[in-house]
Amino acid sequence: MTFAIALLAGALHFTDATERSGLRMSLTSGADTPTQILEVKGGGLALIDYDDDGDLDLFVPNGATLDAPTRGPGARLFENLGGLRFKDVTAQSGIAFRGWGMGVAVGDVDGNGFDDIYVAAFGPDALLLNDGHKRFRDGTAAAGLGDTRWSTAAALADLDADGDLDLYVANYLEFDPAHPPPGATFRGLPVFAGPKGLTPTPDVLYENRGGGRFRDVTQSSGIAAAKPSFGLGLAILDFDGDARPDVFVGNDSMPSFLWLNRGGLRFEDRALALGLALNGDGEAQATMGIAVGDVNGDGRPDVFTTNFADDTNTLRASLPGGAGWEDRTRQYNLGAVSRPFLGWATAFHDFDLDGDEDLLAFNGHVYPTARPDTMDSTYRQTPLLFERAGARFERVLPERAGPWLAEAHVDRSAAFGDLDGDGDVDVVVAERGGPIRLLENDGARGPALAVSLRDRRPGIGNRHGLGGKVVLRQGDSVQTRWIVSGGSFQAVSAPVAYFGLAGPGVATVEVTWPDGTVQEVERTGAGAFTIERR
Amino acid sequence: MTLLLALLAAAALPRLDPGLTDAFRLVQGGRFDDGRRAAEVYLASPAPAHPGQAQFVIGLSYHQQKLYERAEAHFARGLGLEPDYVTARFFRGFALLNLGRLDEARAELEAYLARDPDEAEARFGLGLVALEQDRPQDAQRAIESAIATAEGKGARADRRDLARYQARLADVHLRLDHLEAARASLEKSIALHPEHFETWHKLSRVLRRLGDAAGADRAQERSDELFRRRTGQEGS
């Protein structure tokens, strides 16, 4: 009986299922021991239903090395066979990207009904077009893309409300592997240089002119007005509730941007005024990972960012009346606990399906010399898992959540989605210079609802409703999710709103599509379902 | 460092062994490695009278370098040897706070205050712990008592310390959404020490929430200017 009650109550528990999954891949990102900043930022992951069969496949852009930065071992594509089994289908997919991949974006940019892949890279970025027959071809040049600067993150969204997907690319800094900058010191120890002291590169906004042909609108959009910054994190959704998707860019050690969408592909950075540029102490942070959730239950997005060690992660909660955001890290118990950790990928999800969102962050230092006695931190670090407990978050320890939580890695990217179709959110993690890991959510099952969006109107490329919002109402319970484009770190998670249900009764699901159109559906019972727009 | 001297001179507290004075002065002067070596020489001497204090000086050297993990280990070792050397409790409390070990930090700072209730910084530390633990009323009480204690010193009160206390008190008011009180604390803080970018930024945020956009812009400009001056990096 005790066991049964535990099951009903839900549990936060994951098991490393990599070995039996068939995901056999070690990520390349420079040498085993990094000596330059280029080697410590990557690389990304993307969950993509590339064959449109209803399950989530995995794309890994992969990196390269300093001696051959554009000729790495190559990207990989793994097809989901069901039952948490994956098969490497790279060879037959036509994917031949061998650059130093960083962030990934996924969406149907050419409107053929199948999701394409954009890789932000050190060196030329790449657009891999999906032909709908399990094959990709490089469409970079024809699309007018291929920025050769160091791009760290990319996200797709319909920013001009014309139905197709536009592209924002966050760029980092100028770096020449053949002539790396001289080293620096950190806490008296010699380390590689950057980002401070190096030259940041500006971000780029591309308008999709239709059919997957892009043009650079950085100047006309107002994006060029920003001071070039060390862009790392990226998340697109409607931050200010005006039915237009906005762009949040986390800049490394510089103020972050919040590009509010003013319509007509015009943007204005309001991060400083609205409280998203700096932490509550007025300091710029490293801002690698980005998680978006409704922590304070007001239906507006709250923003959690991961940062450098010796600093804290930061939760900015929305203020009443749309007055912006305020640093409420301490209030939610997310500050001091994170000081030894250097954080990267992160996400809010209701992992235990108990009706509120928990928080997971992956960590790992950039300096191999990091030790508690030299930097109050370690090179390899464990993840941080928090359970929502009343008004605060409480750290979950490995004794409860499984041994994976005690294992230290040099993690970077992570993608979140239900990989085995059992209703809860699983995780794929990419370690710098280490194996890809699959963490199966095998905690107890509460009733779960997974809501996908599908815009089937002719000519619509934003089929998944990227930038949209889904609200679930059931009795007194109101839960809000966003279909975020970007987020986590350099990753593409499933474009699905996952909910733990309060019980078996009727639930009302309200979808706000990215253009502000609202659709309401009643649903009884758990399971996965798709809300369509025709 | 002013605080260091004050603490070590406090009549209510055990005095540092004169045999460790040189080691302490080296740490005080920023020669941390030399200070540690001097303390280790003392430890290696035949039957040192105060090995716990030597561990404290070593811990202090790491604390001043913001290496809190290592500092805490030495403070703990020192306290294991000399539990009555409460100065180590004060610093261990702050090291633990920086390491996120909040309950332990609270216990150490309370133990210190039991011996030296007139130390404003320890009261302030308890306020920081309470703020981290989302006990805003306790934080308010602790920081207000730190301010009262510091102001009780009259002309000897350190204006920068008082400015820090007022700025953190504003954080408590913000946590409670008491915007006017936060504004008042921040303005007091700025009057005491106008050169801190963080306080101007916070004032900007509060003024914006209070509807004073022009005042908020001016405060943020001042914050940016001070930040640039501090870092020497134009605009970053």
Side-chain angles (χ1 to χ4, degrees):
Chain A
M1 180 57 94
T2 307
F3 180 65
I5 291 169
L7 279 179
L8 288 170
L12 273 170
H13 195 278
F14 291 82
T15 297
D16 190 328
T18 312
E19 187 62 30
R20 61 184 168 89
S21 72
L23 288 175
R24 293 189 183 86
M25 177 186 179
S26 190
L27 197 78
T28 297
S29 182
D32 286 347
T33 302
T35 59
Q36 296 296 333
I37 192 169
L38 175 58
E39 299 176 281
V40 301
K41 299 296 179 189
L45 293 168
L47 296 178
I48 171 176
D49 184 5
Y50 90 106
D51 49 2
D52 204 28
D53 66 351
D55 58 26
L56 294 163
D57 311 297
L58 176 67
F59 172 77
V60 187
N62 211 0
T65 51
L66 290 172
D67 58 339
T70 56
R71 286 179 290 110
R76 304 273 285 276
L77 180 66
F78 297 91
E79 183 173 332
N80 191 336
L81 304 177
L84 281 185
R85 296 280 304 168
F86 288 80
K87 177 185 175 187
D88 189 337
V89 294
T90 311
Q92 53 266 46
S93 73
I95 289 174
F97 176 77
R98 292 185 62 193
W100 198 320
M102 299 270 165
V104 195
V106 164
D108 180 11
V109 300
D110 57 2
N112 73 341
F114 293 88
D115 283 341
D116 310 301
I117 297 170
Y118 185 85
V119 181
F122 175 80
D125 295 355
L127 176 65
L128 309 175
L129 292 172
N130 185 342
D131 71 0
H133 302 286
K134 295 193 174 190
R135 296 275 301 174
F136 289 83
R137 65 179 171 82
D138 190 326
T140 313
L145 300 171
D147 191 335
T148 58
R149 291 171 293 187
W150 180 357
S151 309
T152 50
L156 292 158
D158 182 8
L159 296 172
D160 51 4
D162 65 354
D164 56 29
L165 289 167
D166 310 296
L167 173 66
Y168 191 104
V169 179
N171 286 327
Y172 196 52
L173 55 79
E174 293 179 11
F175 186 87
D176 179 358
H179 302 94
T185 58
F186 181 75
R187 291 190 161 200
L189 294 173
V191 296
F192 53 75
K196 288 179 180 171
L198 304 184
T199 305
T201 46
D203 297 345
V204 187
L205 177 64
Y206 297 98
E207 176 192 6
N208 190 336
R209 303 172 67 192
R213 292 182 308 281
F214 290 84
R215 70 169 172 175
D216 185 335
V217 292
T218 311
Q219 285 290 339
S220 62
S221 64
I223 301 292
K227 179 183 175 64
S229 300
F230 306 118
L232 272 185
L234 192 52
I236 301 182
L237 64 138
D238 182 7
F239 281 90
D240 60 353
D242 67 351
R244 297 187 188 110
D246 312 298
V247 183
F248 176 68
V249 185
N251 291 316
D252 189 353
S253 308
M254 298 178 77
S256 296
F257 302 140
L258 177 63
W259 291 110
L260 289 187
N261 190 335
R262 300 306 193 196
L265 270 185
R266 293 284 306 170
F267 292 82
E268 181 186 8
D269 177 22
R270 298 284 293 161
L272 193 58
L274 294 175
L276 287 181
L278 307 166
N279 70 5
D281 292 340
E283 300 207 59
Q285 297 181 287
T287 321
M288 275 78 83
I290 301 169
V292 176
D294 186 14
V295 171
N296 58 8
D298 68 352
R300 298 188 179 91
D302 306 307
V303 182
F304 176 80
T305 55
T306 54
N307 295 304
F308 210 79
D310 222 18
D311 191 358
T312 70
N313 294 334
T314 301
L315 173 67
R316 296 172 180 89
S318 57
L319 291 167
W325 288 264
E326 191 161 276
D327 185 340
R328 291 293 172 103
T329 311
R330 292 188 188 103
Q331 177 184 338
Y332 287 94
N333 197 30
L334 295 169
V337 67
S338 67
R339 288 194 73 88
F341 295 89
L342 198 159
W344 301 86
T346 182
F348 289 107
H349 278 290
D350 184 359
F351 292 112
D352 53 0
L353 299 173
D354 65 351
D356 53 33
E357 286 195 290
D358 313 298
L359 178 63
L360 180 55
F362 291 93
N363 307 297
H365 216 290
V366 295
Y367 301 136
T369 48
R371 296 196 313 267
D373 59 350
T374 57
M375 296 187 192
D376 281 340
S377 192
T378 53
Y379 183 47
R380 298 180 187 284
Q381 301 180 355
T382 64
L384 278 171
L385 176 63
F386 298 93
E387 180 178 26
R388 185 64 190 259
R392 306 191 88 194
F393 288 89
E394 295 295 340
R395 186 177 178 186
V396 178
L397 297 175
E399 295 77 34
R400 198 175 140 206
W404 65 279
L405 195 51
E407 292 169 4
H409 297 273
V410 191
D411 286 332
R412 294 293 184 263
S413 184
F416 299 78
D418 180 7
L419 296 171
D420 51 5
D422 64 354
D424 55 33
V425 176
D426 310 295
V427 190
V428 183
V429 192
E431 177 171 16
R432 186 212 161 273
I436 301 291
R437 308 196 305 285
L438 195 164
L439 302 174
E440 178 189 9
N441 186 340
D442 56 359
R445 306 285 182 274
L449 197 62
V451 181
S452 300
L453 309 183
R454 186 61 69 101
D455 193 334
R456 295 195 186 278
R457 292 176 297 158
I460 298 296
N462 189 11
R463 298 180 304 122
H464 300 298
L466 294 173
K469 175 179 169 180
V470 183
V471 179
L472 181 137
R473 295 188 179 86
Q474 192 182 27
D476 294 335
S477 166
V478 180
Q479 301 180 56
T480 304
R481 308 280 188 266
W482 285 267
I483 309 295
V484 179
S485 181
S488 186
F489 178 71
Q490 298 185 339
V492 176
S493 295
V496 178
Y498 295 102
F499 298 95
L501 292 173
V506 176
T508 303
V509 180
E510 178 190 287
V511 173
T512 304
W513 293 87
D515 65 356
T517 301
V518 177
Q519 197 173 343
E520 198 170 281
V521 176
E522 284 202 343
R523 165 86 185 187
T524 304
F529 82 109
T530 301
I531 295 180
E532 297 191 345
R533 188 178 183 191
R534 293 179 184 273
Chain B
M1 201 53 81
T2 310
L3 174 67
L4 272 181
L5 289 171
L7 276 174
L8 292 164
L13 302 179
R15 292 303 179 94
L16 189 69
D17 185 334
L20 286 162
T21 301
D22 288 348
F24 172 75
R25 290 200 188 286
L26 288 165
V27 172
Q28 184 186 11
R31 294 170 61 185
F32 304 116
D33 288 339
D34 292 340
R36 282 191 282 271
R37 269 193 290 275
E40 282 159 6
V41 167
Y42 172 89
L43 277 172
S45 64
H50 293 288
Q53 292 185 16
Q55 292 292 346
F56 163 73
V57 172
I58 295 170
L60 191 62
S61 71
Y62 290 121
H63 195 275
Q64 297 305 103
Q65 289 182 286
K66 298 186 177 180
L67 293 168
Y68 299 113
E69 184 108 12
R70 189 175 265 200
E72 190 279 325
H74 283 280
F75 292 145
R77 202 175 301 162
L79 285 164
L81 294 165
E82 291 183 64
D84 287 338
Y85 192 66
V86 292
T87 308
R89 297 205 182 277
F90 173 92
F91 285 97
R92 182 166 183 254
F94 276 94
L96 289 164
L97 173 60
N98 280 298
L99 291 169
R101 292 161 60 182
L102 301 177
D103 288 337
E104 294 170 88
R106 182 181 181 182
E108 286 292 41
L109 290 170
E110 285 176 343
Y112 178 84
L113 277 168
R115 286 285 297 275
D116 183 15
D118 292 333
E119 179 45 59
E121 189 75 8
R123 295 183 181 277
F124 176 63
L126 280 177
L128 295 181
V129 172
L131 200 52
E132 289 286 349
Q133 293 181 323
D134 200 34
R135 296 182 285 110
Q137 282 82 9
D138 290 345
Q140 182 171 350
R141 273 191 293 274
I143 297 175
E144 284 175 347
S145 78
I147 291 169
T149 304
E151 286 177 341
K153 294 178 182 173
R156 290 182 296 117
D158 187 303
R159 292 173 66 84
R160 287 193 181 211
D161 286 347
L162 277 168
R164 276 191 302 124
Y165 302 164
Q166 289 287 357
R168 286 298 173 199
L169 185 58
D171 287 348
V172 178
H173 292 314
L174 278 173
R175 166 67 189 88
L176 296 167
D177 284 326
H178 296 162
L179 295 182
E180 286 293 356
R183 173 188 182 159
S185 287
L186 290 167
E187 287 174 345
K188 283 180 192 170
S189 178
I190 286 169
L192 287 158
H193 178 46
E195 304 298 311
H196 197 208
F197 76 94
E198 176 184 325
T199 321
W200 284 101
H201 172 74
K202 288 180 178 175
L203 180 62
S204 167
R205 295 284 305 140
V206 171
L207 291 175
R208 201 170 299 282
R209 288 183 67 186
L210 286 168
D212 180 2
D217 288 344
R218 283 194 299 275
Q220 187 57 47
E221 282 171 20
R222 183 71 181 132
S223 174
D224 291 344
E225 181 189 337
L226 292 167
F227 184 77
R228 281 196 296 273
R229 198 186 296 170
R230 188 186 79 154
T231 61
Q233 290 179 341
E234 184 67 24
S236 67

